[in-house]
Amino acid sequence: MFSDALLGKRGGSNQRFIEDVSKWVMQEKSVLRETGHRHHLSATGEKPSHYRINNEIVYEIDLSVYRDNAWHPYVADDVQFEAIMLDPYIRATLNRTDSTGSTPDTATYHGDIKLPDRYGTFTFRVNYKRTGYSNVDVKDTVAIWPLRHDGYPRFLTAAYPYYTGSFVMVIGFLALSAVWLFSDESTNKIKAGATASKEKSKGKAKHKSS
């Protein structure tokens, strides 16, 4: 296949194959590179020092490929973003932006990401590996904090049955106490107790006087 006799054979593809292989080995073709990446809050466009759980962010990455002695925008539909803390919590496919990237020889991929309901130190990663191309591995270490004490909802919809049960129990206790206090039987018991205590006090006074 690599012999001199077959290299220049008319109608053969040995020369083209050798050129393609040599360019690929020498990284003169099919070389991917990341020229920039960024992430920020989708609502404000700001990049804070840390995010909060369930924040909605935008992640962008610029990719280009080297071929024909020049860099060109890399076009694909399988570029994925991952948010990892030991295991991937989020894996989402990024979409290519219609406009050109930050430079004419790059393509920008973006994704609207909702952060997980879990706080900790996460790694934002794009680990792109495809046959015939060099690898692209981009990592960012990001802190995700829990909500502030005043950031949680005051009343939870899922807890309404428990709220109702608590109020019903309080109302029932008050109603039962009122019925017991103002019933005839309880009044008679209170009067009998008061009479008995008076008689005991009179008996003690007579015993002392005698």
Side-chain angles (χ1 to χ4, degrees):
M1 178 180 294
F2 295 100
S3 64
D4 294 337
L6 295 176
L7 183 61
K9 185 177 180 180
R10 181 177 298 178
S13 58
N14 289 39
Q15 184 174 358
R16 182 178 178 183
F17 173 76
I18 292 174
E19 289 177 355
D20 288 342
V21 171
S22 61
K23 288 181 180 180
W24 183 78
V25 172
M26 300 299 179
Q27 293 192 348
E28 295 179 358
K29 65 173 295 185
S30 300
V31 178
L32 296 179
R33 71 173 180 179
E34 170 263 335
T35 58
H37 66 281
R38 52 213 165 268
H39 48 85
H40 54 80
L41 292 170
S42 58
T44 62
E46 298 178 355
K47 181 182 178 182
S49 59
H50 58 272
Y51 292 107
R52 301 280 184 179
I53 60 175
N54 294 327
N55 275 162
E56 294 183 356
I57 68 169
V58 175
Y59 185 92
E60 294 179 330
I61 186 171
D62 300 326
L63 298 177
S64 58
V65 59
Y66 189 79
R67 66 172 182 270
D68 299 331
N69 298 323
W71 290 100
H72 301 274
Y74 178 69
V75 180
D77 58 357
D78 54 359
V79 180
Q80 290 187 333
F81 163 87
E82 292 179 326
I84 304 171
M85 186 172 67
L86 298 181
D87 294 319
Y89 278 73
I90 296 175
R91 181 178 287 121
T93 301
L94 302 180
N95 300 316
R96 186 188 175 194
T97 305
D98 294 335
S99 59
T100 58
S102 56
T103 58
D105 57 357
T106 62
T108 300
Y109 294 84
H110 76 282
D112 298 321
I113 311 296
K114 183 176 181 179
L115 297 180
D117 188 13
R118 182 69 180 271
Y119 57 88
T121 302
F122 280 78
T123 300
F124 290 174
R125 185 178 187 183
V126 173
N127 187 17
Y128 190 76
K129 297 179 180 179
R130 292 298 177 269
T131 303
Y133 291 94
S134 59
N135 300 333
V136 173
D137 192 4
V138 180
K139 298 179 183 179
D140 277 340
T141 302
V142 178
I144 299 179
W145 288 13
L147 296 176
R148 289 171 50 89
H149 66 280
D150 56 354
Y152 292 94
R154 186 173 296 274
F155 295 102
L156 301 177
T157 304
Y160 280 171
Y162 302 100
Y163 302 152
T164 305
S166 301
F167 287 120
V168 169
M169 184 178 66
V170 171
I171 294 172
F173 175 77
L174 294 176
L176 180 63
S177 301
V179 170
W180 185 84
L181 290 174
F182 297 102
S183 63
D184 295 337
E185 183 178 357
S186 61
T187 304
N188 295 332
K189 287 182 178 181
I190 293 172
K191 289 181 179 180
T195 304
S197 61
K198 288 181 180 180
E199 291 178 353
K200 287 182 180 180
S201 60
K202 288 180 180 179
K204 290 181 180 179
K206 288 181 181 179
H207 179 72
K208 288 181 179 180
S209 61
S210 61

